[in-house]
Amino acid sequence: MSDVREILKKRPLLFDGGMGTYYKAKPGQECEQANLLDPEGVLAVHGAYLEAGADAIKTNTFGLPRMAAAGNPLWEALTDEGWRLAAQAAAKTGAAVFADLGPAPDTESLPAAQIYTALAERFAALGAKNFLFETLSSDAGVAEAAKQIKEAVPDAFVLVSFAVLPDGYTREGRHCTQLVRSMTACGAVDAVGLNCVSAPGAMRTLVQQLGRTELPLSVMPNAGYPVVTRTRVQYQGRPEYFARELVGLAAEGVRILGGCCGTTPAHIAALRTALDALPEQLPVAAAAPVPTAAKPEVETDDAFLRKLNAGQKVIAIELDSPKDADLTGYLEGARRLQAAGADLLTIADCPIARARMDSSLVACRVHRELGLNVLPHMTCRDRNLNATKALLLGLYAEGVREVLAITGDPIPTAERDEVKNVYQFNSRKLAQYIVSLAGEGREMPSPLTVFGALNLNARNFDVELRRAQEKLENGMSGFLTQPVLSAQAVENLKKTREALGSRAKILAGIMPVVSQRNAIFMENEVNGIHVDAEIIERFAGLDRVQGEELGLEVSVKAAQAAAPYADGFYLMTPFNRIALMERLIARLKEEGVAD
């Protein structure tokens, strides 16, 4: 079996193409199951790529991480046979064999690192020395697994490859430069690269944007973009074009080349011929990045952030957008709250998953007309990655510098037959994606500040606090909390401040209770809110005026209790009562709780 490192010293290493798409074009079973059900068919595919000139082939085991995570007992037998078949095929030419591991799900109960490690140990016991983690959307668990591989097989060669869209981001919102940097820094990876999703031309542009890399770079694009005809998916990219684009990358320093979906032995043969025609001495690193034009200076923060970062207590106030298309009353309400002393207007994104005017569009209008800083809520529901990115770019262009990233409420059960949920990522991944849009050569000159939600009323607050720490690690700068309406909420707020210190800006949630009925409803039907029984009892028999007065008293006391542990307050407007919130802001200022 060829030594990969020795090949790389002399010339680029050529991999095979897309096993899955090429095998499926023939009669037979699903790809990985074919290791047991159609071994001759798998051997034939390996043989075709080797005959085309591949220096290395991948085991037919791409889908096994998901299979193992799902508890399918066949994963071990499929691993064994996948290795045996690839080794048998490669023995005829001396080609290198890579144990192929596709993406593994990453959950708290079963981390991706555990799945990868179990498979890698199985391969190592079979004699594997080369390992490929491919088509990944994140680096979850990879560094840990790579280190375990190096401990078991010190001379192992580990290649990690990410599936990246033409704009440089994975489907989980990670930019390729971040991922390449992460794998380089881990110290247990020998080469890093990109594969799948993008066609050769787009991937060549991505490589130029990456610039020089410390580790050897791998590039394995699709043959082109898929064309769906009835039940078949076809790739129409021609082998000559594929070879021309990739040999150009080799001339610029890419050391590992191959193909992914839609690439056939014909594509690999064309690339083999092109590579063999190159001069012997080639650069060993990728080309320098394409220079970009200087961008004009833009405001990177705003009055709200400057006040918050100066240590002054800020006031953010939430006002739900209209249910109809008329913004007249809403803008007047926002103007009144601004005059009362609100530093920031927050706008929910279709709370309880019921349609209202879009929070981001409303935020842009308020900011444009009033000059008031705004914090539109952005849920993971109902937008895929493309729609999210488009919206964020529009917000930035309109001068919006803060967003609140939350998972979002699911569509109510009664409406699911007509309205479907779309969840591509959670709030942590959304935050990570938002902050990754800024940087050299990126779409935004400066990052947006991302806030998240913190439920002080969570039954298992230790879990909630751990998630808050993960949110900070993924790019969030602070949190807006659920309402403080109990002694336990204050205690959890104190615990949060002690755990997170100055790393997080915390706006304590304050929501005036206006009646006993209102209090009982929130306690029983609103997720994330807990109202002390004592507070509920105090509202018994009160009329509207009395209820509002007591609500103000309770809210001010809650703010006073929360103040030592908070950087400001997040006021929630009940039933669109603007006048009540004007009075609350005035009381907070009179009591010296807010600056």
Side-chain angles (χ1 to χ4, degrees):
M1 190 179 295
S2 298
D3 187 311
V4 171
R5 291 182 177 87
E6 290 301 315
I7 293 176
L8 289 173
K9 288 178 184 177
K10 302 173 184 176
R11 55 182 171 81
L13 177 74
L14 178 59
F15 262 87
D16 53 6
M19 162 67 80
T21 50
Y22 187 60
Y23 178 82
K24 286 181 180 178
K26 300 182 175 185
Q29 303 295 320
E30 282 300 313
C31 207
E32 292 80 14
Q33 292 181 345
N35 293 341
L36 296 173
L37 300 175
D38 183 22
E40 291 303 318
V42 174
L43 278 172
V45 174
H46 285 319
Y49 283 117
L50 289 166
E51 187 176 344
D55 299 309
I57 60 173
K58 304 180 288 285
T59 59
N60 181 31
T61 54
F62 171 82
L64 294 193
R66 291 192 180 277
M67 189 179 293
N72 190 321
L74 285 177
W75 73 266
E76 293 177 325
L78 292 173
T79 301
D80 294 352
E81 283 302 295
W83 174 261
R84 186 186 68 80
L85 293 170
Q88 179 182 333
K92 297 178 181 179
T93 65
V97 177
F98 276 73
D100 190 28
L101 300 171
D106 185 45
T107 63
E108 289 186 12
S109 59
L110 187 57
Q114 185 175 331
I115 302 167
Y116 288 139
T117 300
L119 280 154
E121 287 176 348
R122 187 87 183 181
F123 275 118
L126 294 167
K129 289 193 174 182
N130 305 312
F131 298 82
L132 169 63
F133 296 83
E134 63 150 315
T135 322
L136 307 184
S137 295
S138 80
D139 55 358
V142 179
E144 296 93 323
K147 290 173 183 176
Q148 290 290 326
I149 289 172
K150 292 290 189 176
E151 288 184 11
V153 187
D155 61 341
F157 189 94
V158 179
L159 166 58
V160 180
S161 184
F162 297 96
V164 177
L165 294 160
D167 64 356
Y169 293 89
T170 71
R171 65 180 180 83
E172 291 194 16
R174 300 291 302 279
H175 197 272
C176 56
T177 54
Q178 294 175 319
L179 294 166
V180 168
R181 194 179 304 123
S182 169
M183 290 297 95
T184 302
C186 88
V189 171
D190 299 283
V192 66
L194 312 175
N195 79 290
C196 205
V197 182
S198 294
M203 200 164 280
R204 189 173 183 184
T205 301
L206 287 170
V207 170
Q208 290 173 332
Q209 291 173 357
L210 275 177
R212 301 192 181 279
T213 57
E214 293 182 33
L215 296 176
L217 192 61
S218 167
V219 176
M220 302 187 204
N222 287 348
Y225 292 103
V227 176
V228 181
T229 57
R230 295 186 180 178
T231 59
R232 292 191 66 186
V233 178
Q234 296 178 314
Y235 293 82
Q236 298 179 335
R238 295 179 180 276
E240 312 84 60
Y241 173 78
F242 178 85
R244 184 175 73 243
E245 290 297 312
L246 266 65
V247 80
L249 284 174
E252 294 167 357
V254 173
R255 303 300 290 169
I256 302 173
L257 300 154
C260 203
C261 298
T263 51
T264 66
H267 291 81
I268 301 305
L271 182 52
R272 174 81 281 163
T273 300
L275 289 173
D276 289 345
L278 285 173
E280 290 186 9
Q281 296 299 320
L282 292 172
V284 295
V290 178
T292 55
K295 295 184 179 180
E297 291 187 8
V298 296
E299 183 183 36
T300 58
D301 63 0
D302 52 35
F304 169 75
L305 288 179
R306 288 192 289 271
K307 183 175 179 179
L308 182 65
N309 292 327
Q312 297 174 273
K313 288 284 195 294
V314 295
I315 294 178
I317 187 162
E318 182 171 300
L319 188 63
D320 287 342
S321 57
K323 295 180 180 178
D324 56 24
D326 185 4
L327 262 183
T328 307
Y330 187 90
L331 289 171
E332 177 57 28
R335 187 178 289 108
R336 288 172 58 185
L337 294 171
Q338 181 184 27
D343 300 296
L344 180 84
L345 188 74
T346 85
I347 308 158
D349 184 4
C350 298
I352 64 171
R354 294 286 167 81
R356 287 177 174 267
M357 193 178 293
D358 184 85
S359 59
S360 294
L361 292 177
V362 172
C364 291
R365 179 80 177 271
V366 170
H367 182 65
R368 192 184 315 121
E369 293 200 10
L370 306 183
L372 178 61
N373 295 129
V374 287
L375 180 75
H377 298 195
M378 180 171 288
T379 66
C380 301
R381 179 197 62 234
D382 300 340
R383 294 186 195 94
N384 62 17
L385 199 65
N386 280 355
T388 299
K389 180 179 181 180
L391 189 57
L392 288 164
L393 294 177
L395 285 169
Y396 193 97
E398 284 284 349
V400 176
R401 293 295 177 266
E402 299 90 41
V403 293
L404 178 79
I406 54 177
T407 300
D409 302 315
I411 299 296
T413 304
E415 299 176 16
R416 287 180 190 168
D417 288 341
E418 298 178 4
V419 183
K420 303 297 182 183
N421 286 315
V422 178
Y423 285 97
Q424 192 166 354
F425 34 53
N426 58 33
S427 60
R428 284 160 288 175
K429 291 179 180 178
L430 175 58
Q432 188 177 69
Y433 177 60
I434 294 171
V435 298
S436 75
L437 290 172
E440 186 178 352
R442 307 282 180 83
E443 291 84 344
M444 292 182 183
S446 60
L448 293 173
T449 299
V450 184
F451 289 90
L454 178 68
N455 183 9
L456 297 176
N457 306 304
R459 291 187 179 182
N460 189 342
F461 189 69
D462 288 340
V463 173
E464 183 73 7
L465 188 53
R466 186 171 70 248
R467 286 178 181 159
Q469 292 169 325
E470 291 174 358
K471 290 175 181 179
L472 289 177
E473 292 167 1
N474 281 278
M476 290 190 184
S477 298
F479 303 99
L480 277 60
T481 82
Q482 288 284 30
V484 176
L485 286 166
S486 68
Q488 187 60 55
V490 175
E491 183 60 32
N492 287 340
L493 179 60
K494 178 182 178 182
K495 189 174 183 179
T496 301
R497 177 55 74 199
E498 291 171 348
L500 303 184
S502 60
R503 289 190 297 151
K505 299 296 184 183
I506 303 173
L507 304 189
I510 305 294
M511 184 174 188
V513 177
V514 294
S515 68
Q516 188 174 62
R517 180 180 179 183
N518 174 222
I520 291 172
F521 178 83
M522 287 195 293
E523 170 66 14
N524 289 278
E525 296 201 30
V526 181
N527 185 39
I529 295 182
H530 170 59
V531 186
D532 267 349
E534 180 184 351
I535 293 175
I536 295 174
E537 288 302 317
R538 290 185 65 188
F539 280 89
L542 301 185
D543 60 21
R544 174 166 176 158
V545 174
Q546 294 170 325
E548 286 194 354
E549 186 59 36
L550 179 56
L552 290 173
E553 177 191 327
V554 170
S555 294
V556 171
K557 287 184 177 179
Q560 290 172 329
Y565 319 111
D567 299 287
F569 302 99
Y570 163 43
L571 311 182
M572 287 160 262
T573 308
F575 308 113
N576 206 34
R577 296 187 188 181
I578 303 297
L580 175 64
M581 303 312 287
E582 290 174 318
R583 292 166 62 197
L584 177 56
I585 294 172
R587 293 272 185 95
L588 293 176
K589 291 181 177 293
E590 288 170 6
E591 296 294 333
V593 181
D595 297 310

